[in-house]
Amino acid sequence: RLRALRRLLDYVNGPSERLVLVTGRVGVGKSSLLHAGLIPHLRTGNDDVRVVVREAGRSLPETLRERAAELKDNTILVVDQVEECLIPGTSVRNECEQFAQELVELLNPDAAKRAKCIILGCRSDYVDEIKRHLRDKNLLWRAFTLKPLEREDVVEVLTLASDDAAKALYKIKVACSEGAPGAFADSLLRDEDS
């Protein structure tokens, strides 16, 4: 997913991007891209990266508010699975409105504590409702849609996994004969559900 990671980094590091909405269908790899790609990459730089996840028994706005108290000037917030504020059994409208209001406060250029950038991860089947709440608060965002893996993505993963530096870094043992990554990718992608 290096191509997707590079594109997402361009969004996050853009001069005017303060709110980035990462969307895609269920299982496409949004959380993996954020947690295994974006967050580790951002943490190698000078930015303070905070991950916000809904905690048991607490609303997403409450958790976000708590993390906001820890903000520094260069803090990037990553809020994955934002659709959880739409879970049945919660006060859906109220929780989403509160969440959007927290975003307003965190992105306010005049606020004492504000985020450098906020990245939201959301399933595509909930994104219209999330966008409605963002629009209601006059928030502007840039949408990043993660698409299913393509052949070259699968080949890239297998090729990198067999690289000696990657093996050492990720503590993996993979060996690929010449042509194996492409053959595997072709086989995998013949199945429309994979």
Side-chain angles (χ1 to χ4, degrees):
R1 291 290 186 153
L2 288 177
R3 290 181 305 141
L5 177 59
R6 283 188 214 107
R7 277 187 37 240
L8 183 54
L9 283 166
D10 287 344
Y11 279 37
V12 171
N13 293 321
S16 62
E17 309 314 335
R18 301 279 317 285
L19 183 60
V20 178
L21 183 58
V22 178
T23 67
R25 71 180 198 200
V26 174
V28 77
K30 298 173 301 298
S31 293
S32 295
L33 179 64
L34 293 175
H35 294 279
L38 181 69
I39 292 168
H41 184 83
L42 291 173
R43 285 187 170 151
T44 63
N46 294 325
D47 294 312
D48 176 49
V49 181
R50 304 288 171 131
V51 179
V52 179
V53 292
R54 183 190 198 122
E55 297 172 5
R58 302 186 67 201
S59 71
L60 193 54
E62 287 174 316
T63 307
L64 183 59
R65 195 174 310 114
E66 184 178 284
R67 293 293 179 276
E70 308 163 353
L71 285 181
K72 299 176 183 173
D73 288 341
N74 62 336
T75 299
I76 295 174
L77 288 172
V78 179
V79 187
D80 195 14
Q81 300 177 350
V82 171
E83 67 274 3
E84 289 186 0
C85 71
L86 297 171
I87 292 174
T90 62
S91 169
V92 172
R93 179 183 166 103
N94 191 33
E95 186 167 333
C96 286
E97 286 178 8
Q98 288 175 359
F99 179 75
Q101 185 57 44
E102 289 297 324
L103 294 176
V104 167
E105 292 171 23
L106 289 167
L107 294 169
N108 180 350
D110 299 323
K113 292 201 172 201
R114 66 186 190 104
K116 176 180 176 183
C117 180
I118 300 175
I119 299 134
L120 306 176
C122 181
R123 288 173 27 186
S124 57
D125 49 333
Y126 288 97
V127 76
D128 289 339
E129 182 70 11
I130 296 297
K131 285 179 177 180
R132 186 180 65 75
H133 286 282
L134 298 177
R135 273 192 299 273
D136 288 350
K137 298 291 183 182
N138 296 316
L139 287 168
L140 301 176
W141 68 89
R142 186 155 184 202
F144 177 92
T145 303
L146 187 61
K147 297 187 180 344
L149 286 172
E150 295 178 352
R151 184 182 190 280
E152 58 194 84
D153 297 316
V154 176
V155 169
E156 177 183 68
V157 167
L158 293 171
T159 303
L160 285 175
S162 61
D163 176 75
D164 289 336
K167 287 180 191 179
L169 178 65
Y170 297 112
K171 298 175 181 54
I172 56 175
K173 296 177 184 177
V174 175
C176 288
S177 60
E178 189 172 329
F184 180 79
D186 293 338
S187 175
L188 178 70
L189 296 174
R190 272 194 287 275
D191 179 1
E192 291 181 14
D193 293 330
S194 65

